[in-house]
Amino acid sequence: MNAAAPDLSVAREGEALWVAYRTARRDHFAVLRFSGVAAASIDQPRDDPPADPLLSATAARPGAFHEVHDPAVRPPLRRWIITTPDDAVAVTAREARVLVRAIQAPSASHAIGSLRA
C-alpha cells in the first residue's frame, strides 16, 4: 500500500465487501474481496480514538493489512484490519482474497468497478 496516498475505496454488495487501495505504483491499485461478511466498519483514527480497541492497537501502523485474533470472533469467521493514515477498516468475514495486486486504474473505486463488471 502507498501509505502516503492510499486512495482507499470500499464497496458493499450483499455479503461481499470490496476494498481497493493504491499500491507503490501511483496508477495501480490492489483489490481485496471479503466473502461472508458479518460486520464491517470504517473508523478515522486521527480524529478520535476508535471505539474498537483492536483498531487502536493497529492504527499506529498505517499502510498495513492485518489479520487479528479476536477472541469474540468464532470460526468460521475471521477478522482483518486495514489501516491508512486517515482510516482503519475492520472486517469480520469467512474469507479474504486478494483479487489483484496491481491493476491500472484512475482511482480505487474504478479498480473495484472494473472487477465487479
Side-chain angles (χ1 to χ4, degrees):
M1 177 184 297
N2 183 339
D7 189 15
L8 182 75
S9 184
V10 177
R12 184 85 187 244
E13 179 181 358
E15 289 188 12
L17 184 78
W18 300 72
V19 178
Y21 54 84
R22 187 182 310 277
T23 66
R25 292 180 63 186
R26 294 195 53 82
D27 61 342
H28 285 73
F29 295 85
V31 180
L32 312 172
R33 184 175 186 273
F34 296 90
S35 301
V37 175
S41 66
I42 300 176
D43 224 333
Q44 296 179 334
R46 280 191 177 176
D47 296 339
D48 295 311
D52 185 329
L54 290 173
L55 290 180
S56 296
T58 58
R61 293 179 34 206
F65 178 55
H66 315 271
E67 181 175 3
V68 293
H69 299 284
D70 182 345
V73 176
R74 300 259 186 230
L77 297 175
R78 296 163 59 195
R79 185 136 191 241
W80 294 271
I81 296 177
I82 303 164
T83 58
T84 74
D86 298 320
D87 300 297
V89 178
V91 182
T92 302
R94 282 191 322 268
E95 178 184 37
R97 291 185 53 208
V98 177
L99 295 180
V100 63
R101 294 186 187 280
I103 185 171
Q104 191 170 11
S107 71
S109 59
H110 282 93
I112 291 172
S114 69
L115 294 174
R116 288 173 70 183

